[in-house]
Amino acid sequence: MKYISIIGSTGSIGTQSLDIVRTNEDLKVVALAAGSNITLLEKQAREFKPDIIGIWDEDKAKELRIALSEFDIRIVSGMDGLIEVATYEKAEIVITAIVGMIGIKPTVEAIKAGKDIALANKETLVTAGHIIMPLAKEKGVNILPVDSEHSAIFQCIHGEENNKISRLLITASGGPFRGKTRKELENVTVSDALKHPNWSMGHKITIDSATMVNKGLEVIEARWLFDVEPSHIEVVVQPQSIIHSMVEFNDGAVKAQLGTPDMKLPIQYALFYPERRNLAGERLDFTKMNGIIIEKPDKEVFKGLDFAYTSLEKGGSMPTVFNAANEKAVALFLNEKIKFLEIYDIIEKCMSVHKIIQNPTLEDILNTQNEVNEYINKII
Ligand code: NAD
Ligand code: MG
């Protein structure tokens, strides 16, 4: 039996992780946490009977305690609660399915407590990769990628331990606005931006896919996960989302991982690595495909990629600024306070005024996020 804890259990990755638990009898959920959806959390509690549940809001925690009073489940709240769930004694592995930089502290604490991490929460690695990766090594814990591109790379390098990677080729779908000009993006609405062609995901990452900031974040995520220099990481657009990413080795061989777009595969692979388990679902039919399309990304319109490379080049706290500015700008866009293209303007402004802190501590990272938020409140 493998005991798992999930932070962010009510979201897209969280609920698909629970689907994997349903189909594998040797997985047992012992701890769950989520933001505010207590209706779903209560349902999950009744089905999976974890020992402990974290909910962000203390008032909601009180409601949940009443709703689940017939069970012996400890219900906790706030950041302390999230950390309790992430470090829960019985859990061997924590799925970080929470969205945003709020995941940093619980992830760090989980690693300190010796838990393996099935990492979906990319914002944590983007901002604190230089802290997380050495800490994981020191504590002897595995960071197992859940993001489909990184899982693909992870699958490609399995068994290649002594061989040198010469290039990572990260694939992007191009999102709902692939091929559009800047002019055409001026007045796009939130619902236009939420229409992702291939993947059904949480709102924040869906907007990130439309701006291609998501791909930028993934370049930084890959830099930390696989210790590959940014100049050796390339992004290509693969609009069918069937090549999930590729690795080129020093002899010129390229390995790719392909499959239908289904996050359950990377989630399950992370939970059972290196074992492959049966997974129901559609299979690729190459005879029905009209070729495999690969394109160059349009970096002029979709500035998310260049922001990522620039922030890696500047280093220190700059990736935090890129990520924090994006988190805030996307929230403003989702609340219809700014236009789509203003997401880029805000990130650009925040990055241009920031005074870089080299080798930032966790405290520096969280302070930088606060400063970025305050700065954006001032300028909009
Ligand atoms: P989502 O919005 O669907 O779910 C987010 C989860 O985080 C929810 O359970 C929510 O309750 C929880 N949460 C938010 N704020 C919280 C708080 N303050 N305290 C406790 N819980 C909180 O998001 P998602 O699409 O599942 O994405 C989750 C992460 O996985 C993101 O970092 C995303 O970039 C990454 N990811 C997602 C996908 C995907 O297919 N959805 C693919 C690759 C990577
Ligand atoms: Mg991805």
Side-chain angles (χ1 to χ4, degrees):
M1 194 61 86
K2 191 173 234 176
Y3 294 96
I4 64 175
S5 164
I6 306 176
I7 56 168
S9 67
T10 57
S12 161
I13 294 292
T15 52
Q16 293 181 87
S17 301
L18 290 171
D19 286 341
I20 295 300
V21 174
R22 284 190 186 98
T23 52
N24 288 281
E25 285 179 346
D26 52 351
L27 290 179
K28 164 89 181 100
V29 172
V30 289
L32 292 175
S36 59
N37 186 350
I38 50 169
T39 314
L40 183 53
L41 208 42
E42 182 188 335
K43 259 185 153 170
Q44 294 178 343
R46 289 180 183 277
E47 181 180 353
F48 296 97
K49 303 190 177 57
D51 298 341
I52 176 167
I53 293 183
I55 178 102
W56 185 250
D57 189 83
E58 175 51 30
D59 289 335
K60 298 236 160 134
K62 282 185 189 137
E63 272 183 63
L64 199 60
R65 276 182 206 116
I66 296 166
L68 293 172
S69 57
E70 80 242 48
F71 296 96
D72 185 19
I73 300 178
R74 183 172 151 71
I75 294 168
V76 292
S77 66
M79 183 50 80
D80 289 345
L82 257 181
I83 291 173
E84 253 194 81
V85 169
T87 57
Y88 181 54
E89 206 187 342
K90 269 197 210 161
E92 295 154 56
I93 183 161
V94 180
I95 305 180
T96 62
I98 194 166
V99 58
M101 286 175 70
I102 190 132
I104 297 180
K105 274 192 182 165
T107 306
V108 167
E109 292 306 318
I111 297 170
K112 283 187 187 162
K115 315 293 182 196
D116 283 336
I117 307 290
L119 187 138
N121 177 229
K122 65 190 85 184
E123 295 89 349
T124 285
L125 265 195
V126 167
T127 54
H130 62 292
I131 295 170
I132 304 264
M133 295 312 288
L135 184 65
K137 199 168 174 196
E138 181 195 321
K139 298 289 172 188
V141 310
N142 295 308
I143 308 286
L144 303 145
V146 168
D147 212 345
S148 59
E149 297 75 5
H150 306 74
S151 174
I153 293 166
F154 194 54
Q155 293 175 57
C156 291
I157 61 176
H158 183 63
E160 297 279 0
E161 276 67 33
N162 297 317
N163 293 319
K164 203 170 175 316
I165 294 171
S166 65
R167 203 157 51 124
L168 298 179
L169 291 142
I170 299 185
T171 51
S173 69
F177 301 142
R178 180 173 67 96
K180 294 247 183 294
T181 63
R182 220 182 130 78
K183 183 109 197 77
E184 288 170 318
L185 294 180
E186 263 169 17
N187 293 312
V188 291
T189 64
V190 171
S191 83
D192 295 332
L194 285 177
K195 282 186 200 119
H196 197 283
N198 308 330
W199 298 96
S200 158
M201 311 181 284
H203 282 184
K204 192 255 175 188
I205 184 176
T206 306
I207 302 301
D208 289 350
S209 301
T211 55
M212 283 193 84
V213 164
N214 181 50
K215 216 42 60 176
L217 299 176
E218 290 183 355
V219 168
I220 305 178
E221 185 185 9
R223 184 255 170 276
W224 291 117
L225 277 172
F226 307 110
D227 195 19
V228 172
E229 286 302 314
S231 57
H232 294 248
I233 307 176
E234 197 179 318
V235 171
V236 293
V237 174
Q238 207 287 297
Q240 297 137 314
S241 294
I242 55 163
I243 303 182
H244 297 306
S245 278
M246 303 180 264
V247 180
E248 183 189 274
F249 295 91
N250 55 344
D251 61 355
V254 177
K255 282 169 87 173
Q257 186 259 327
L258 287 79
T260 53
D262 182 354
M263 286 307 296
K264 288 201 275 300
L265 190 156
I267 294 168
Q268 181 169 280
Y269 191 78
L271 291 175
F272 294 108
Y273 169 80
E275 185 190 344
R276 288 191 186 276
R277 288 269 175 111
N278 187 53
L279 182 64
E282 252 186 88
R283 299 295 189 250
L284 288 181
D285 183 347
F286 289 92
T287 62
K288 289 203 179 114
M289 261 173 229
N290 221 348
I292 291 180
I293 305 162
I294 305 262
E295 295 168 358
K296 253 171 101 161
D298 180 349
K299 294 187 187 169
E300 301 286 310
V301 174
F302 301 96
K303 298 187 189 177
L305 272 182
D306 278 352
F307 290 153
Y309 283 98
T310 306
S311 72
L312 274 175
E313 196 187 303
K314 305 254 183 222
S317 50
M318 197 55 100
T320 294
V321 175
F322 166 46
N323 181 78
N326 178 63
E327 277 188 31
K328 174 86 177 169
V330 169
L332 289 168
F333 174 69
L334 284 169
N335 288 320
E336 299 181 336
K337 300 273 193 263
I338 60 167
K339 289 184 161 190
F340 183 77
L341 291 175
E342 285 179 277
I343 298 174
Y344 297 130
D345 300 341
I346 288 177
I347 298 171
E348 214 157 13
K349 268 195 198 139
C350 290
M351 286 175 63
S352 71
V353 299
H354 180 64
K355 296 211 170 45
I356 297 172
I357 306 165
Q358 291 306 338
N359 209 10
T361 62
L362 273 192
E363 206 188 337
D364 293 331
I365 290 167
L366 298 174
N367 286 341
T368 300
Q369 182 187 26
N370 286 336
E371 281 167 27
V372 166
N373 286 343
E374 280 166 23
Y375 178 73
I376 297 173
N377 285 336
K378 258 197 282 171
I379 60 169
I380 59 151

